Amino acid sequence: MIVKAYIKKHLFHLPTTKLSDLLEQVEEALGKGNINKENIEKLYPLTKVEENDNILVEKQNTNIFLLNLLLLVLNHKEKEITEPEYFNKDLMISKLEENTHLELQGIPFDVLEKEIDKFLYRISEKAETDSETQIDVCTKDEPEIEGKEQKYSYLENVTFNVDWLKGAQQELDHKGRK
């Protein structure tokens, strides 16, 4: 789902996968540098959205960067916006939480952006890993064992962050109960 979003007369195509590109486009179009992504809607609100009549712009409350993140997540989940709603900051954050199962209320925008980026990257990485695993299994001359499913292990794939720590602890707790 691609939408056309306008700030004043300036057109932006959403979603944009490179978040920094959208920031550069907005700064260039508005002739301003160092735009505050968290509160851009106060000075430079979205004026209209085309290509999806269900996204209604709420005056000075629809943030282009949040809308971009929401559209990216919905595209990954292969979902669409089917009901007309006024898209304000609170609604977009709650929809992001609903679709990502992350706690995003009350956190700074740059942290929210990084969490969504990690979520999207993790989904892409998992899909690539799954397809690589299938290719590896098919190319080997070993009989395929039915019912044997390769699971993601936090203990084998080490990336030090809070999500990894939570997952590793849950995996250890689960193994301890067996």
Side-chain angles (χ1 to χ4, degrees):
M1 155 186 25
I2 295 178
V3 299
K4 295 177 181 177
Y6 290 87
I7 295 178
K8 298 182 181 180
K9 61 180 177 162
H10 306 288
L11 168 67
F12 303 95
H13 293 277
L14 301 179
T16 301
T17 53
K18 285 190 116 187
L19 304 175
S20 59
D21 286 353
L22 180 59
L23 177 62
E24 288 173 15
Q25 290 172 11
V26 171
E27 287 177 342
E28 184 179 313
L30 299 174
K32 305 286 182 190
N34 296 330
I35 289 180
N36 180 355
K37 292 191 281 187
E38 188 163 5
N39 294 314
I40 188 173
E41 72 275 8
K42 301 299 182 202
L43 294 174
Y44 305 105
L46 281 178
T47 49
K48 69 178 176 178
V49 173
E50 293 178 348
E51 307 294 324
N52 190 329
D53 296 332
N54 294 325
I55 301 173
L56 304 175
V57 173
E58 187 173 308
K59 295 279 184 203
Q60 292 191 319
N61 233 349
T62 306
N63 184 314
I64 189 170
F65 298 105
L66 265 179
L67 182 59
N68 185 58
L69 291 173
L70 178 60
L71 292 172
L72 283 171
V73 168
L74 291 175
N75 278 349
H76 259 292
K77 295 256 188 183
E78 297 179 1
K79 291 184 176 181
E80 291 194 14
I81 298 168
T82 56
E83 297 177 19
E85 289 185 84
Y86 283 97
F87 278 73
N88 59 37
K89 188 180 271 188
D90 292 332
L91 176 72
M92 288 187 282
I93 290 175
S94 68
K95 284 190 176 287
L96 282 168
E97 285 182 331
E98 176 184 316
N99 286 291
T100 61
H101 306 292
L102 297 171
E103 182 106 7
L104 303 171
Q105 286 288 351
I107 63 174
F109 186 82
D110 56 336
V111 175
L112 180 143
E113 194 174 48
K114 286 176 186 171
E115 289 297 316
I116 297 297
D117 195 36
K118 278 195 275 184
F119 173 81
L120 294 171
Y121 178 72
R122 203 170 39 232
I123 288 174
S124 300
E125 189 177 78
K126 187 177 187 304
E128 288 174 13
T129 304
D130 290 347
S131 65
E132 288 172 6
T133 303
Q134 290 173 351
I135 291 169
D136 289 346
V137 168
C138 295
T139 58
K140 291 182 181 175
D141 292 317
E142 299 175 343
E144 188 176 318
I145 300 169
E146 287 187 28
K148 185 179 180 185
E149 201 176 294
Q150 289 204 353
K151 282 186 147 183
Y152 178 84
S153 173
Y154 284 96
L155 302 177
E156 292 173 6
N157 303 311
V158 178
T159 54
F160 291 102
N161 61 36
V162 175
D163 292 332
W164 177 85
L165 286 172
K166 288 178 185 175
Q169 185 61 49
Q170 288 174 346
E171 190 173 329
L172 287 170
D173 291 344
H174 183 70
K175 283 184 177 185
R177 290 184 201 149
K178 285 185 177 181

